[in-house]
Amino acid sequence: MGDPYRIKMIEAIKKEQNWLQCSCLLDMFNLAQSTVSHHLKQLVDADLIIMEKEGRATKYVINKEVFSDYVSYLKQLGAE
C-alpha cells in the first residue's frame, strides 16, 4: 500500500464491487502496462486482491476477508 497508485487501484476495484478487468485499470491510469501489472502483483502478493485469468484477460476483485482485517488493524493502530 506504500504507493498512491496502489491505493487508487484498490479504490477502483472496491468501487466496482465485482471483478474488474486489468484493461479497465489500464484505461483509468496514465501508467505503462508493466507498471500497472507491478502494482497489481504487489496487491495480489499482499492478499488484498484476488486475481483470476479468463482466457487472455486478467481480472481482479477485493479479497474481502483480508481487506476487512487490514482495515480493522489500521483502525486499531489509529486508536492507539
Side-chain angles (χ1 to χ4, degrees):
M1 295 298 288
D3 187 286
Y5 281 109
R6 288 187 199 138
I7 293 170
K8 291 177 183 177
M9 288 178 189
I10 285 280
E11 289 172 347
I13 295 168
K14 190 171 184 317
K15 183 179 178 183
E16 185 66 26
Q17 297 193 8
N18 208 342
W19 292 93
L20 186 64
Q21 288 196 0
C22 184
S23 59
C24 293
L25 289 166
L26 282 171
D27 291 342
M28 290 179 194
F29 302 102
N30 190 23
L31 298 171
Q33 185 272 331
S34 59
T35 303
V36 171
S37 292
H38 170 75
H39 288 308
L40 291 170
K41 182 181 181 327
Q42 296 295 312
L43 294 169
V44 168
D45 289 348
D47 273 341
L48 289 170
I49 61 174
I50 300 167
M51 176 188 79
E52 185 176 293
K53 292 270 189 181
E54 189 173 86
R56 295 181 67 198
T58 306
K59 58 186 184 175
Y60 299 90
V61 70
I62 294 291
N63 185 340
K64 292 177 183 172
E65 182 177 329
V66 173
F67 187 78
S68 177
D69 291 346
Y70 187 76
V71 169
S72 294
Y73 176 72
L74 291 175
K75 285 180 181 178
Q76 180 184 3
L77 283 178
E80 292 178 358

